[in-house]
Amino acid sequence: GAVVSQHPSRVICKSGTSVKIECRSLDFQATTMFWYRQFPKQSLMLMATSNEGSKATYEQGVEKDKFLINHASLTLSTLTVTSAHPEDSSFYICSARVPGLVGYEQFFGPGTRLTVL
Amino acid sequence: QKEVEQNSGPLSVPEGAIASLNCTYSDRGSQSFFWYRQYSGKSPELIMSIYSNGDKEDGRFTAQLNKASQYVSLLIRDSQPSDSATYLCAVERAGNKLTFGGGTRVLVKP
């Protein structure tokens, strides 16, 4: 499958600081990437769709001014959690949608575990 | 009614047996369906995709789709302890977005 990387894998920060997470497609170009959040013992929840060269589209209930998404190139999307608070502590995972043999498939990066103190 | 529903488990299976996982979805217009495996603390890994009614086999895994019944299943044959994980059913909706079920935890006992 397609390879998606994320950096950093783990970050601990103080409340009120901003954290940037990078998502890269390593062996393909991705015009669309997705950002998910997963709280302990819960399933993945889609936060936003990142579109190369245009604004991201956010799911209902996700604050676009808090979770800034930039998709400046075909291989890189970034998620910035601004003024992070303890309730933002979660597992953030990006994915990219690529054509498979029959239809499109989504492959996930390894995730970034954010802990806000 | 949740958009994608799965039994949370745990589903306990003896080593070498068949694990059977089920998933139902509410959007009758959905066309693309996926099974992901997620180990604790890791991100999801795609193991199967299925787009048309019937069975699709890949190694020890078989996915089954019945669009009329809005039902997707996954069979894991010859279950191994390394198959112990949470299995997520995902359905693609408008905008190429995936909606995930809550996941079924599978425990394969030696």
Side-chain angles (χ1 to χ4, degrees):
Chain A
V3 179
V4 179
S5 71
Q6 270 184 255
H7 178 79
S9 59
R10 186 180 295 269
V11 59
I12 300 173
C13 68
K14 292 182 178 179
S15 186
T17 59
S18 294
V19 175
K20 180 187 281 189
I21 302 169
E22 293 185 349
C23 176
R24 294 182 184 273
S25 57
L26 296 185
D27 53 358
F28 62 99
Q29 293 182 329
T31 55
T32 302
M33 292 184 176
F34 300 91
W35 286 96
Y36 294 81
R37 181 166 53 178
Q38 187 176 34
F39 292 107
K41 299 192 184 303
Q42 294 186 22
S43 193
L44 278 76
M45 292 299 295
L46 179 65
M47 298 175 66
T49 303
S50 173
N51 304 296
E52 189 270 334
S54 65
K55 290 183 179 180
T57 55
Y58 291 80
E59 295 300 295
Q60 191 173 7
V62 178
E63 299 175 58
K64 61 179 172 65
D65 294 329
K66 181 170 184 62
F67 299 100
L68 302 179
I69 291 173
N70 184 278
H71 195 150
S73 78
L74 288 170
T75 60
L76 173 64
S77 174
T78 61
L79 168 68
T80 301
V81 183
T82 61
S83 186
H85 290 284
E87 59 266 29
D88 298 322
S89 298
S90 189
F91 192 39
Y92 292 86
I93 319 172
C94 69
S95 74
R97 186 172 180 265
V98 297
L101 291 177
V102 177
Y104 281 81
E105 299 171 335
Q106 278 194 33
F107 292 91
F108 286 85
T112 297
R113 193 163 301 281
L114 171 64
T115 302
V116 185
L117 302 176
Chain B
Q1 182 190 7
K2 291 183 180 178
E3 293 181 57
V4 181
E5 294 208 53
Q6 296 180 253
N7 188 315
S8 61
L11 176 65
S12 186
V13 178
E15 184 175 358
I18 296 174
S20 178
L21 293 78
N22 303 317
C23 170
T24 57
Y25 60 94
S26 60
D27 184 354
R28 191 170 284 278
S30 299
Q31 297 295 321
S32 303
F33 307 87
F34 308 90
W35 283 99
Y36 288 86
R37 176 175 63 196
Q38 186 174 27
Y39 292 112
S40 181
K42 303 295 185 182
S43 68
E45 172 193 7
L46 179 66
I47 53 174
M48 289 288 281
S49 58
I50 187 165
Y51 307 95
S52 55
N53 283 328
D55 295 0
K56 179 182 177 183
E57 185 175 320
D58 185 358
R60 295 186 295 112
F61 299 99
T62 299
Q64 299 173 317
L65 174 61
N66 184 323
K67 291 183 182 178
S69 300
Q70 296 174 241
Y71 175 91
V72 193
S73 66
L74 180 71
L75 298 177
I76 308 173
R77 290 182 301 281
D78 188 23
S79 296
Q80 301 297 308
S82 59
D83 293 326
S84 297
T86 295
Y87 289 80
L88 301 169
C89 172
V91 178
E92 190 171 82
R93 54 186 168 100
N96 306 319
K97 302 174 183 180
L98 292 183
T99 300
F100 284 85
T104 298
R105 194 158 67 98
V106 173
L107 297 174
V108 181
K109 298 187 174 180

